[in-house]
Structure formats: structure tokens, C-alpha cells
Amino acid sequence: MLAISSFGPRNRNIVRLWKRTVACSSAPERGVGGIYPPIATPFTPTEEVDYEKLEENVQKYAKIPFRGLVVQGSNGEFPYLTVEERVEVVRHVRRALPKDKLVMAGSGCESTQATVRMSESMAQAGADAVLVVTPCFYRGRMDSRALIRHYTQVADSSPVPVVLYSVPANTGLELPVEAVVALSQHPNIVGLKDSGGDITRMALIAHKTRGSGLQLLAGSAGFLLAAYAVGAVGGVCALANVLGPQLCQLEQLCLSGSWEEARELQGRLIEPNAAVTRKFGVAALKQAMGWFGYHGGECRSPLRPLSEAEAKLLRKDFTSSGWL
Amino acid sequence: MLAISSFGPRNRNIVRLWKRTVACSSAPERGVGGIYPPIATPFTPTEEVDYEKLEENVQKYAKIPFRGLVVQGSNGEFPYLTVEERVEVVRHVRRALPKDKLVMAGSGCESTQATVRMSESMAQAGADAVLVVTPCFYRGRMDSRALIRHYTQVADSSPVPVVLYSVPANTGLELPVEAVVALSQHPNIVGLKDSGGDITRMALIAHKTRGSGLQLLAGSAGFLLAAYAVGAVGGVCALANVLGPQLCQLEQLCLSGSWEEARELQGRLIEPNAAVTRKFGVAALKQAMGWFGYHGGECRSPLRPLSEAEAKLLRKDFTSSGWL
Amino acid sequence: MLAISSFGPRNRNIVRLWKRTVACSSAPERGVGGIYPPIATPFTPTEEVDYEKLEENVQKYAKIPFRGLVVQGSNGEFPYLTVEERVEVVRHVRRALPKDKLVMAGSGCESTQATVRMSESMAQAGADAVLVVTPCFYRGRMDSRALIRHYTQVADSSPVPVVLYSVPANTGLELPVEAVVALSQHPNIVGLKDSGGDITRMALIAHKTRGSGLQLLAGSAGFLLAAYAVGAVGGVCALANVLGPQLCQLEQLCLSGSWEEARELQGRLIEPNAAVTRKFGVAALKQAMGWFGYHGGECRSPLRPLSEAEAKLLRKDFTSSGWL
Amino acid sequence: MLAISSFGPRNRNIVRLWKRTVACSSAPERGVGGIYPPIATPFTPTEEVDYEKLEENVQKYAKIPFRGLVVQGSNGEFPYLTVEERVEVVRHVRRALPKDKLVMAGSGCESTQATVRMSESMAQAGADAVLVVTPCFYRGRMDSRALIRHYTQVADSSPVPVVLYSVPANTGLELPVEAVVALSQHPNIVGLKDSGGDITRMALIAHKTRGSGLQLLAGSAGFLLAAYAVGAVGGVCALANVLGPQLCQLEQLCLSGSWEEARELQGRLIEPNAAVTRKFGVAALKQAMGWFGYHGGECRSPLRPLSEAEAKLLRKDFTSSGWL
């Protein structure tokens, strides 16, 4: 963790350099680039956080060449955690994860002041960076002006670097390109996780922020190859919770320009990815985790486990692609 | 406040009777029927809850023939309040409001267990009923099965009656008709606030729940007349924060069958209502409150005050309808 | 049929009077008010227009107290008819229908010039009025400016009065309120069929055009009662193809202020109506027509007949409401 | 033009070969791969088709290394042309275009039988292939079953190869992946123009049809690079009407694996492309054509020319990217 207070003048070169050496002593030149699973939060049968199983998962993930873990992305059921639980989960993950892996912690809340406080708490709990989802309840009024102000206040006060997070499927709101471009100038805003899957938008953002050092992360495995093609440097992919090595392999194929092989691998990942995200959601991800040797655990209510029929369809999406 | 534990058998007649005598010694035969403003939460310039101004507003509202006040509907900026503030605001409103007016408190959270706890806290703080918005972050999985289970658990444990709340503009989710019909059989679920404005749906719900005692409340002033026409018994209307007497007059015209006059009045309310809701949102409502002698106060960030141009347009929507 | 050229000055009183005495010697004071089935076009097994069965249907409909028939509304499969067929169908309907019933013919095309020509052809074929759907392929550019110009040109040249037609479920476009208000001043524009079901919008339109003589028709049976409550004077309802007498009865209950009975009847019509419209579409309407003694006939491709499972669900929507 | 009747058995290898040698003696191994402008239809001030200016445009386009021209894509205002005009425009284009360039003609209509006839007429007028948009008026019933049947009937009878066309922005409908996969087995269906921009979907289609010979064309310049990255072999891009050489250059950079340069060029094309498509539409494309030496001409009503303010914004989108 590097304190923002160590910054002097808003010199663009220094900022760009810093953005690239963010947060972590190992491989600082990568910045936040790389593959992350947005980890699930296992619950006990009585719906309490199962910290033991959480740590076991983390220890297994530590052996995969991930850049780090995202804690409390949309798959982490963070809207179902209390303020205290959100921080406690981050603390446990940080403790269980080797220091050379980044912890990127979701700290977004609806109000600016709650997000500021949560970002501070996450940093104190050991997060290397915070991932801040767009507030969305009053989405009709969350225009660029409001969102730029929100993120600027959060980034000004956050002890650790901020990654913007746009996930319209959950929020009904896309962080506008002009807001991303403006915010990319902030020294403490280092990246954008974009889960919308609009590749034209991602290409435009990459193009318009190319001088700022902002790093673009694909928010889903379905368009990881395409995202790399237009300039992304990593991905936060629910599917990495179950097919982590494969996603790291896809990353390598893209980085080395082996597009033919990359296409073949990407093609086989799309349907399993859809199955654990928009088709069946978090419960499917947790069920699939069991098949691949991880602890999924229960979902917290009102999320429900899959029906038997759904579980069969889910399994078919993995078998027909040859992963099970 | 009436404890749910006083219920014996789920006898439909008793349930219907009880649903109609809910919560309040004055006019028990009305149940939750009538007009409510979903009150705004005034903030100080430093964005703290301004309890003093809140109480002054409540005292003014007490003089209007409202059935009660809704505290922490969508206009109350409840997603921006901490858990403690949410309860504290209800406590202050209850204290400032005469006993013959109902306090209906928004207690919805994303998780079932948080909603259960919040409903208990709201009841302890003096709420006569709780208004429970649909959880929505994982909207793709919030089907009837999940929502029926969520609301049943909340209603089973809530010390005060529960009013369902469907507000797709904010949540991106409509509580399915079949879920409403199933839940209408629960003895502790007494009403539905429907803000979607789909009058066919409201007519169908009124028709399918006519034996259950469920009371239907229009969630917006724009379709109040039409809602009464299809069987609603009241309304929770943002516009009542500024044009309360007029909305109570519209209620009377509908109840007495003076449809011609009702239509004329309804017609003049639509544009001001749109202006303080979907067009300009909470900030507009607060600005208009100032024009009508109430304390609007600041919004909490990231909500922003209206621009000057917006404020002009807002004012025009009131002047052109003859209200200013 | 009354030629527009008989108009002199655009005197509002004359216009209002004329709008109310449009088109038809019988009951001229009703204007276009009343109930209409938007009739289906029966096809033979080889997908040719079955004019014989069409005329038999028309003769049966003539015995129901409809104001007239809409030919080539959305249920008439008009996008599947050639230019020549569209006119020929109108000619046959006019021939088979008694003179005291109106023929309102859908003449909307994508281009203004095609719509102008089609309106002329429809008038020559005997239409008393034309129903003009919003052009929609370039919906992103169909703003008020473009639509006002389109409808003005059509109305200027149409030999018979024009009824505006907004049906967002099919067109992805709602005719803006401001356009409706502007167009209501045109002496040859006499009504609006609104199928969107947004009752707030309908109430606002009724309010803002109350001085113009524009007559509002509900575009679906699901919100017919509510539409009357806010000021509509009739309805064009797919369901009238099968439950015509019942819809005329609902009209009478609304007009006579028997709201309690109207609500009961309206409630029973919503699910069958949904079944033959948005749920299963034209094929369902045609199947149900058979059950009620009319000729539905085939759909033209690519529309397909219902599957057996769908047909069962359709039937259940009629039996559970007591209509079969 | 190659008659479908020359097909013998549905042998996959023969089919694949044929699909790749479709339609044109020059460069048959490319199939339909390459860049196409979907040309605009210039109108005179009285809104008649301006065939002279159309031919002049075609002669200019002939000098750019396009694979051919798309006539009556969405930018061609085809919904505004009569049946006769649609065919006549194709005839003129074919006459003015050198034989080594393909003419791909939009022949989609709402009904299957009209589409069958139009495809025949287009082929007789000289089209090398037909581009068939999804019928959409009854979009709620246009499921895979209906669309597979529609396209199969069209492809069975079409004298020239068929390219599927999915353009949800105009049709409100996406051709389902399962329908594309099924249709890719048809010997006379050789390609898919996908304008939706959902790159995950395009990657999945490329993956699932990799054995069938179906060729994937990007339907917009905004995601051309990304489409090549996931397996597309060309693009039909409105922007090619004005920046044709640049799009052919982008094609070459992608085909040669010069991704760095490709990204830079792609980045500069996104905003001009958005401006002439979803932002301002056909009128903007026509206005920009004038700036680049082509005849845009009028739009046919109800499409309107840009306002002055819009034209300024349009120009800025070209100047700020360095194209003007």
C-alpha cells in the first residue's frame, strides 16, 4: 500500500509512472494489469460468512498466476454484507493471500460519504486498491457531472488507488465515456473495470485515455480476447473462480499475439461464462466452484440456489465445452 | 402498533378485518388507505440530517388531511442514510407527528436478514407499518420464487404490517403479479405501493386480490385518478410534499365519484409531478418544497442540486399549471 | 366520406364541430368514439387473403354494437400485405359492412409519400377515416419535428379524417405528447389511438387537447376502463374480435358511471386480452376467433401458428376468466 | 451470379468450398469477405431517386479497394422505396459497377413471400448476393423457430447466395445465435452481417459456425478491429461511404496482424462513425458525403436534414479526429 500523500505535483509523467507502479512491490511495472477472479463469499447453511472456507479458496487461488483477487465485485454478494462484514472479509483475504498478489476491494456505496469511509476501511484492512462501482439508485440523475464529482471526492481521500467500475447489468447505468476520460487525469484513479461488454466503447476509452496511464480491465471472460485486442491490459472475470488457469492462458495467448489459439480458447469459454453470470448468476458460480474443487457455499437470501433443472443446464454448458 | 403475535388462525375473514384495522386507532376501517407524502430528508450544508427542519416539515404536514407520512420512500434518499440514521429519522418523525397519522417506514434492504432487522428497528422506533422495496441488485435472479420467500420471511417476523413496494424506475424490477397475489394471502402483508404506472397491471392486481384485503396504493400522483378508478384506495405521491391539499382534494373527488372535476384537477397535476420525479428527481422536489413553505434542504452527494436552467424549467412546470 | 376541401377557415368551433360529426351519417355527434375490433385478415392454407371468410366475419361483427371496424391495425398483418392487397381488403370490408358502421383503415407506411398515396387509395376504397401508425424504422430520428411534418402532410392531403396511431410495442416509438398536442389543431386530424398503455400520458393528452376536439381511443382492452376514466371516448381492442359484446358492455358501464360493475368486468378481460396480444400475438387471436364462431384462418409467414402447449395456455386464459 | 440449382448433395466440403467461391469470378477464394459501404440513396429536391448522382457515387467507390457495395442496407432508406424503386436502384448500381466488385442487395421484407419475390427480382437485376434483414414488426413472435423457417424458405428459392442481417438498433430484434448456427448449415446461406456490436455474441457465432463456412461481417466501423480479432472477415460500414480508403486500410492492418497501428486507426474512426450512424443517422451520413466529394442528396420524408447545430457537431466529430 502506497499513501496518496506521497504525491507531489500533478506532473503527468510522474502520475503515469506511479499509476504503473501502483500498490505492490512485485511486478510494479504491470500496474493493475492481469487476471483477477472476483471471488465469491461462501456462506454457512445459516447464511453467516464462512471465513474458513473463504481462506481455503484464497490459498488455492494463490497458486494460479493471477495478478490478484477482487474482493466484493458483483459476484461477492457485497450488497448483502453489513458494513462490518465487508471490511472483515477483506481483512481475511489479505491475511490468506501472499504479498505478491494484489487485493482489489469493492468499496462502492450509494452515498459519497459512505464510499469515502468504506475506502478508508478497506485500505486499513489491507486492500492494495479499491474498486468503486457507480452509485445507481437515482440513476436518472447520475450524469457525468455528478459521477465525476463523486469519484473525485473518493479518489482524493482514498489512501489507496481507485479503479472505476461500470456494470450496467446490475446498476442500469453506464459510466459515461466523457466521465471516464475526465477521471483518468486524476493521479489516484488508475483503472477501469468495464463489465458492459460494449467493445466500441472500450476501444474509444482506450483511445481517449491512452496518454493518462488509465488501465482498462475487461469485466467478463466473454469479451476478454476482444478487450485485449482494443487495448485492455487485464480482466476481472467471474469465470476465473472456476477456470482460472485457462483465463491466465488466454491472457498469455493475447499478450504474445497468438490470436488463432486465443480465438479457439476464447470460443470455448463464452458459454460457461454466460452460464455463471447473466444466465444463472452467483448461485451458478458457487455451484460450479464445487465441481472444480473450491468452496462455493450457500448464497445469502433472497438469492436462491439453482433448481435441479437449472443445475443440469449449467453442467451442460461446462461439459459441452469440454471443461467437465 | 399491533403485534403480529396476536394473530391466531389464518382465518380469511379475520385477516381481512385485521388488515382493515391495521396499525392505528384513528379511522381503523380505512386500513392504510389515503394519501401520503413520501417525505424528503433535509440535509444541512455539510450533508448531515437536519432533524430540526425535518420536524418542522412534519408539523406542517400534520395539518393536511393525509392518512400519514411515508418515511424513506425513494424520495427520502434512504440509500444514502446509514443504518442508524434510517432508524433515527423514523423516530423523529413519529415524535413530531400526531398519533392519528400513520408512519409508514421504508425498511427494505438488499438482503433478507438486513430487511428483517431493519423492520424490527423501524417498529421499535414507532413505525405503524413498514414499506419494503424489492431487493434488486441481482435483479436477473429476483423471480417470483425468490421474492415470495423474501417477503414471507420479512412479514413473518415484522412486528408491524408490511406494505409491498414495486418501483421499477429505481430498481429495474417489477414485483410480478403472481408474487403479489400469493403474498396478499399473508396476514401481515396489508398493501402494495405500485409506482410503475402500468394501469393494466394495477387493475389486474386489484381484481386478483379482491378477496384478500390487500390495499393498493398508487405510487405517483400522475396516475392517481386512474388508480382509484381501477380499485386503489390511496396514493403515496412525491408531489404531496408540495401540493398536499390538492392531492387530498383529488382523493375526495375520486371517492365521491366527481370524475369530471377529478379529471380537470388530475390533468393539472401531471406535469408538476413529472418534474419533481422522473424528470428532475429529488433535487427538484426539494427545490419546489422551498417555494411552498417547506424545508427542502440539500441533497446528499452524489445527488446534485438543479442547475439554474433546470430550476427555471421546473418552475415553469408549476406556473404553467397555475400552481405558482 | 367528407372531403377535406369543404373546409373553410380554421375556425376552432367549426373544426370541433366537424371533428365530432366526422365521416358518417349515423350518430355523427359521436365522432369516432366507440368500440372497434381491429379485425384480423384470414388467409387460406396457401397464405392468400381469404376474402370470403373475411366478409363472413364482417357480417357477424355488424350485429354487435361496434362503432365500426378498424382494418389493418397491427392485428391485421398489414405489414405482410402488398400495396394492392391492403386496398382490396378495405374495399371488401366496406362492401360487407352496413353504412352506419365506420371503416377506419390503417394507411401508415414508412415514407410520407407512400402514406399519402395509401391514404388516398383507402379513401377511394371506401374508408371513412384512416389510421396512421408512426413510421419507425429510423426511430432514432423520428422526433416531434419529423413526426409533426409527416402527419401534417398526410392530413393535408387525405380525403378522409386522420386518426393518429401510437403503438410502441410494435414500433419501438411513442408519438410524443407535444407532437400530439400540436397535431390536434389540424382540422383533418380527429383522433389518437394510443396502444402504449401509459395512463399518465393518456390523461395528459386528454387534458392538453381538451379544447381541440381530438378524440382519444384506447388501443387495448386491458386499460379500457382506465382510459374512459381519464377522458377517452372509445377503444380499438384486439379482444373485441372475440369478446365484442362484452367490450361494448364495458363501454356502456363506463359511460353510465357504473364503475363497480365496470371494474368487475374489466378485471375478467385483462388476462384473455394479454393472451391474444403481447403474450401470444396474432396467431392466438386467430385461434381464439375459431372458439367464438369467427374465421381466424392461417397467419402469413413468417408468423407461425401456436404450438400445442401455447394453445393450451391460451385456452386456460379464457376458461379461468369464465369466457369459455 | 451462380444458380443455386447447380448444387448437388449437401456435402459439407462442397458447400464450404462453394460458400468461399461465391458469386464472383474475381477473388472467389475470399467469398463475401472484405469491406463494403452500405451506400446511400441520393434523392432529388422533390424526393425522387437521383439515379445520375447514384451512378456517379458508384463510379467513385469503384476506385477504392472495396470487395463490393451493399445496396439497401439500413443506410439506403430502403423502407422508403417502392418495390419497383428497390429493384431499379440495384439495376443501376450493377450497371455502373465493374464486374470484379460484388453487389450485395438488401431484399428483406416483412413477409416471407415478399422477401422471396424481392430476392428473385434483385438477382435478376444483377445482385451477386442478397442481404436479408430480420422481419421485425411482430418481434415478440419472431423466435428462432419462425426465423429459421423464414430464412430457409428464402434461401431455398433465392437464385443467389443469402447473407443474414441482424440490426437490433433498427429492428428491435437480434437474430438468435442458435438460429444463426442452424442456418449456417444451409448451402445457400453464406454470411451474417451483424450490426449489434455485441462482440461476445460475434465471437460465439464465429466459434460455433467455424465448420460451416459462414462468413461474419461486422455491421459497423466502430467494432471492426474487434470483429476481425474474434474471426470476422469483413465489414459493412456506413462510414465507408465517406472514409472508404481508411476502412480498407484498417482491414489490411488487421489481416496483417499490425494490431498496434490498427488500434490507433480504429480509435480515430469511432466518433465519426457514431456521428453518421446512431447519433445523427442517415441525414448526417449524406451531409458528410458532401464534405468528402460524394453526392449525399436529400433524404426522403419523414427523415429530415440535420439542423445547423447538429451539422456543426457532426463536423466537429470529423475535425477532432483529424479527418477534416
Side-chain angles (χ1 to χ4, degrees), chain C residues 175-199:
Chain C
L175 185 58
V177 172
E178 61 171 344
V180 174
V181 172
L183 291 166
S184 73
Q185 298 301 323
H186 193 289
N188 205 27
I189 293 176
V190 300
L192 166 68
K193 173 185 174 189
D194 198 318
S195 297
D198 178 345
I199 202 70

Side-chain angles (χ1 to χ4, degrees), chain C residues 123-134:
Chain C
Q124 281 162 13
D128 300 290
V130 287
L131 181 68
V132 182
V133 71
T134 51

Side-chain angles (χ1 to χ4, degrees), chain C residues 8 33 110 171 178 201 212-213 237 256-257 263 287 306:
Chain C
E110 281 290 327
T171 62
E178 61 171 344
R201 166 188 156 89
S212 72
C237 308
S256 65
R263 259 200 293 276
Q287 179 134 6
L306 296 193

Side-chain angles (χ1 to χ4, degrees), chain C residues 142-218:
Chain C
M142 291 297 103
D143 55 13
S144 283
R145 190 177 62 123
L147 290 165
I148 289 173
R149 195 167 173 275
H150 173 75
Y151 278 110
T152 300
Q153 288 184 234
V154 171
D156 279 349
S157 70
S158 172
V160 293
V162 168
V163 175
L164 309 171
Y165 181 18
S166 181
V167 56
N170 288 111
T171 62
L173 179 74
E174 213 161 40
L175 185 58
V177 172
E178 61 171 344
V180 174
V181 172
L183 291 166
S184 73
Q185 298 301 323
H186 193 289
N188 205 27
I189 293 176
V190 300
L192 166 68
K193 173 185 174 189
D194 198 318
S195 297
D198 178 345
I199 202 70
T200 305
R201 166 188 156 89
M202 292 186 78
L204 184 60
I205 288 172
H207 181 68
K208 299 199 105 170
T209 64
R210 65 199 182 286
S212 72
L214 190 84
Q215 292 186 296
L216 193 53
L217 302 175

Side-chain angles (χ1 to χ4, degrees), chain A residues 164-180:
Chain A
L164 309 171
Y165 181 19
S166 181
V167 56
N170 288 111
T171 62
L173 180 74
E174 213 160 40
L175 185 58
V177 172
E178 62 172 342
V180 174

